[in-house]
Amino acid sequence: MILKETENDQAGKRLTWSFYQQDDVVEIAKELIGKYLVTDFAAGKTVGRIVETEAYQGPEDQASHAFGNRYTERTKTMYLPGGHAYVYLCYGIHQMFNVVTGKDGVPHAILIRAIEPVFNTVLMLDRRGMKSVKPALGAGPGNVGKSLGFNTEHSGNSLLEPTSQIWIEDREEIIHQKQLIASNRVGVAYAGEWALRPWRFRLKDSPWTSKAKGLGE
DNA sequence: CGAATGATCGGCT
DNA sequence: GCCGATCATTCGA
């Protein structure tokens, strides 16, 4: 069962430095849909297919933690060059995993909002305290963090180092623009006009995306 | 040092 | 649909 799953895990090509360095964080947020997020911590390897993302555009985006170039102990991670993890605690409960993108010093980040469980669902279920695989396993950013085993100690980790325990793979899957649904971001109503930007992307017809309602589609 | 707050979730009504 | 959980981070005194 667990062993069988291990045998069936197919490896893909890791995304490279140049992918994460692109300036357009919204474009990268779209491209991340259909990629595979892998964690390989002590408890075991788990893999999820990314089906929902949200872009946060550096200093000018009022919804971003780095709005106005705010630089603190927590947000300093966002200023690293693209290809790092930014993990933070939300509402005291949820470990939120973000991908840092853009050049060194530019605090762009992409929140991974939902994944489709692909590999080692046994461990993912155990981490969640769940018995059977349901969309709730990986739908919603808090659930992504929990099922894949993220915590804030991983913030600032590289996704590119050969020894990294976290990385993203391209498994040669083509996702067409038509399959993407863009909508406004969730939980950022305080951000004024920026809250209306259609920077949340999800895979059409996927049962694995989060149900959280925005202000409209 | 103390107090308010949040890029959410799940359970209950 | 509403409400409580639960704590690091942040800001002000």
Side-chain angles (χ1 to χ4, degrees):
Chain A
M1 323 189 308
I2 292 182
L3 287 179
K4 205 153 201 170
E5 262 198 64
T6 304
E7 288 161 14
N8 287 341
D9 180 46
Q10 47 167 297
K13 243 176 18 185
R14 287 196 198 196
L15 297 182
T16 59
W17 171 260
S18 57
F19 176 87
Y20 296 110
Q21 294 300 303
Q22 300 173 81
D23 287 320
D24 190 345
V25 64
V26 175
E27 185 57 33
I28 301 178
K30 289 190 222 172
E31 289 182 24
L32 280 178
I33 304 283
K35 299 294 190 289
Y36 289 76
L37 176 57
V38 183
T39 61
D40 192 8
F41 301 131
K45 182 177 176 181
T46 45
V47 182
R49 176 169 173 249
I50 298 171
V51 293
E52 184 173 339
T53 63
E54 214 163 71
Y56 287 86
Q57 188 173 91
E60 62 269 28
D61 180 358
Q62 204 179 143
S64 168
H65 291 162
F67 174 57
N69 272 317
R70 201 157 67 118
Y71 190 92
T72 66
E73 189 58 30
R74 178 178 64 157
T75 63
K76 67 180 183 186
T77 304
M78 299 177 75
Y79 294 82
L80 294 172
H84 286 84
Y86 170 48
V87 185
Y88 70 93
L89 186 70
C90 181
Y91 293 97
I93 304 173
H94 307 290
Q95 315 284 336
M96 312 278 266
F97 171 75
N98 298 249
V99 180
V100 176
T101 70
K103 296 187 172 56
D104 193 10
V106 181
H108 292 329
I110 298 166
L111 173 66
I112 305 302
R113 291 194 54 88
I115 52 127
E116 174 180 341
V118 171
F119 167 73
N120 204 348
T121 51
V122 174
L123 178 55
M124 293 171 69
L125 287 170
D126 186 50
R127 283 169 170 158
R128 289 293 315 280
M130 291 170 63
K131 291 261 162 75
S132 62
V133 176
K134 293 180 288 200
L137 183 56
N143 293 335
V144 171
K146 196 164 184 185
S147 58
L148 294 182
F150 285 109
N151 66 59
T152 52
E153 286 174 22
H154 302 127
S155 198
N157 283 16
S158 170
L159 308 180
L160 297 164
E161 302 282 338
T163 56
S164 175
Q165 297 178 299
I166 308 164
W167 66 91
I168 301 177
E169 291 180 3
D170 182 352
R171 296 191 173 178
E172 312 273 300
E173 195 173 321
I174 309 290
I175 305 288
H176 295 283
Q177 292 282 321
K178 284 167 106 171
Q179 296 171 260
L180 296 182
I181 301 174
S183 54
N184 61 283
R185 294 174 294 178
V186 181
V188 295
Y190 59 87
E193 57 171 313
W194 292 92
L196 304 175
R197 299 284 172 129
W199 288 352
R200 173 192 181 201
F201 302 100
R202 65 208 145 99
L203 192 57
K204 193 178 177 185
D205 298 329
S206 171
W208 305 100
T209 58
S210 68
K211 302 288 184 280
K213 284 196 175 145
L215 305 173
E217 304 272 309

